[in-house]
């Protein structure tokens, strides 16, 4: 029965729900919307706080226990408790035990040459120290070949090098390149009162850019995860631009002089690849031996689908590899499924990346940590939408952003080395080989520079990978002059369009069955 008492109770209930009666205009839903927005904002803040708390906890755990899981981060003091775990290598034909060596670049950098020929990595990462000083430092750790073989089995007995290192100290091309780089960074170091090595890392302006990009990307995540279609496109693009402008540098030890920053910061964006696998595929394999058959793992990522080098046997399936839908499919799955999952699993099962770069089998704690890391990657990139969205929308959110990232990755990596001019170029001179097998694109173009994270200066990067890419545009003109002086081809195209056309022409030529 309706009465005034019931009306008062109804008004009270409406007021408590945020629904206010009005006499003239119906605005009952406006306050409810405001309450919902307020609740959503509070929820977003809570999610950010939880994420930061988890990140802080992870950082503290890694600081405390990281070296016990990540063996490549063992310091000389920690190796003292592992007498059977010697860090040995061969450089320019001489054998060394570096177990007690405090490497300025940190333990990870020196661990990459453990039980393998480290000459190529040694050459490319020491542009600022004279050969005499380097030999003086290394001489303290020299051992005999017998001592080397007694304490370890080489990871690859066939690893006898590829380059002719005879007379490299007197090589005028290599000397002029190093003089040019030293002169450039000497000016910066003198002006700022820092070392040459510090001058070659990310500048304060570069750090400001990296932090700003990170803030923008993480700031878009709440809207992206809430299913906002605008951020469906913005967030993946920000993820790409953010990561490419620091992730690659970090794993080349060119982000900071603090090895911990270089080592751990890439784990914020684990969707490119596991950093552990990236060291082997990219730093040890590709960078040391670009486009060298059976040494560069990038030549054989998916030989059943694509043939980009003469060392890959032709199959009938390669006949249509230049069709646009084939290229689009491969580029869409290459990163999220190929590089980050299938290649990862295959490499760890065989302890060898693409049957080209062998490595020591992982310890049980490291295997567990690695599997957990890949599970987190799969959840963050592919699974979470199915718990928060309708099925049709979850399918889109779980596939398209990853495909966008993969396409960006492939665009900015394939056009740098796989063209008619570079793919089969070669030189026995280490420094000349780095130049002739690489292709720059869009030098001086800001979009090419920022969208590729400096990968458009591929020649300079391959010559001096420990130099942060923010310095490469300034180094480029001098390096180009030196190449022209010595008759070394300096491959450069105007931008993305010309670079992709050159790569596509190469892909098409490699689709044709060889006549012999």
């Amino acid at each position: 029965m309706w009465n005034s008492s019931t009306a008062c109770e109804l008004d009270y209930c409406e007021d408590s729900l945020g629904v206010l009666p009005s006499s003239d205009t119906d605005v009952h839903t406006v306050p409810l919307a405001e309450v919902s927005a307020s609740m959503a904002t509070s929820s977003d803040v809570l999610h950010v706080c939880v994420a930061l708390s988890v990140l802080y906890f992870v950082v503290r755990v890694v600081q405390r226990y990281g070296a016990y899981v990540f063996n490549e981060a063992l310091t000389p003091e920690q190796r003292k408790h592992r007498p059977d775990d010697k860090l040995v290598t061969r450089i320019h034909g001489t054998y060394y035990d570096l177990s007690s060596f405090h490497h300025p670049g940190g333990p990870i950098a020196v661990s990459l040459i453990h039980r393998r020929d480290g000459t190529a990595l040694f050459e490319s990462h020491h542009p600022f120290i004279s050969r005499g000083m380097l030999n003086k430092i290394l001489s303290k750790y020299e051992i005999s070949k017998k001592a080397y073989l007694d304490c370890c089995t080489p990871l690859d007995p066939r690893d006898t090098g590829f380059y002719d290192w005879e007379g490299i100290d007197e090589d005028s091309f290599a000397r002029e390149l190093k003089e040019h780089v030293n002169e450039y960074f000497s000016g910066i170091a003198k002006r700022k009162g820092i070392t040459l090595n510090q001058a070659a890392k990310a500048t304060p302006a570069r750090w400001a850019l990296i932090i700003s990009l990170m803030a923008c990307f993480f700031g878009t995540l709440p809207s992206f995860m809430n299913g906002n279609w605008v951020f469906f496109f913005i967030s993946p693009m920000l993820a790409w631009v953010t990561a490419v402008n620091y992730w690659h540098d970090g794993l080349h030890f060119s982000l900071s002089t603090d090895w911990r920053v270089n080592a751990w910061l890439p784990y914020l964006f684990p969707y490119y690849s596991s950093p552990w696998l990236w060291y082997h595929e990219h730093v040890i394999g590709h960078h040391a031996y670009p486009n060298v058959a059976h040494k560069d793992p990038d030549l054989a990522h998916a030989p059943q689908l694509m043939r980009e080098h003469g060392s890959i046997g032709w199959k009938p399936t390669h006949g249509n590899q230049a069709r646009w839908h084939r290229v689009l499919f491969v580029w869409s799955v290459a990163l999220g499924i190929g590089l980050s999952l299938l290649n990862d699993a295959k490499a760890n099962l065989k302890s060898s990346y693409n049957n080209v770069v062998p490595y020591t089998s992982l310890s049980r704690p490291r295997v567990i940590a690695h599997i957990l890391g890949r599970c987190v990657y799969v959840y963050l990139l592919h699974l979470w939408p199915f718990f928060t969205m309708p099925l049709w929308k979850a399918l889109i959110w779980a596939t398209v952003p990853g495909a966008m990232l993969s396409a960006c990755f492939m665009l900015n990596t394939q056009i740098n080395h796989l063209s008619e001019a570079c793919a089969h170029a070669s030189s026995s001179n280490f420094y000349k080989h780095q130049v002739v097998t690489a292709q720059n694109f869009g030098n001086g173009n800001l979009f090419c520079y920022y969208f590729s994270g400096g990968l458009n200066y591929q020649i300079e990067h391959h010559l001096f990978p420990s130099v942060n890419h923010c310095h490469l545009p300034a180094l480029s003109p001098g390096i180009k002059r030196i190449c022209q002086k010595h008759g070394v081809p300096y491959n450069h195209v105007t931008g993305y369009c010309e670079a992709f056309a050159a790569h596509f022409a190469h892909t098409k030529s490699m689709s044709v069955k060889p006549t012999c």
Side-chain angles (χ1 to χ4, degrees), residues 18 87 151:
L87 200 166
C151 72

Side-chain angles (χ1 to χ4, degrees), residues 87-123:
L87 200 166
V88 293
T89 188
R90 180 179 67 231
I91 300 174
H92 284 300
T94 303
Y95 297 86
Y96 301 96
D97 180 355
L98 303 176
S99 305
S100 61
F101 177 43
H102 284 269
H103 191 274
I108 293 179
V110 73
S111 74
L112 299 185
I113 58 175
H114 176 45
R115 291 174 58 188
R116 66 178 84 246
D117 187 281
T119 309
L121 289 179
F122 172 80
E123 281 290 329

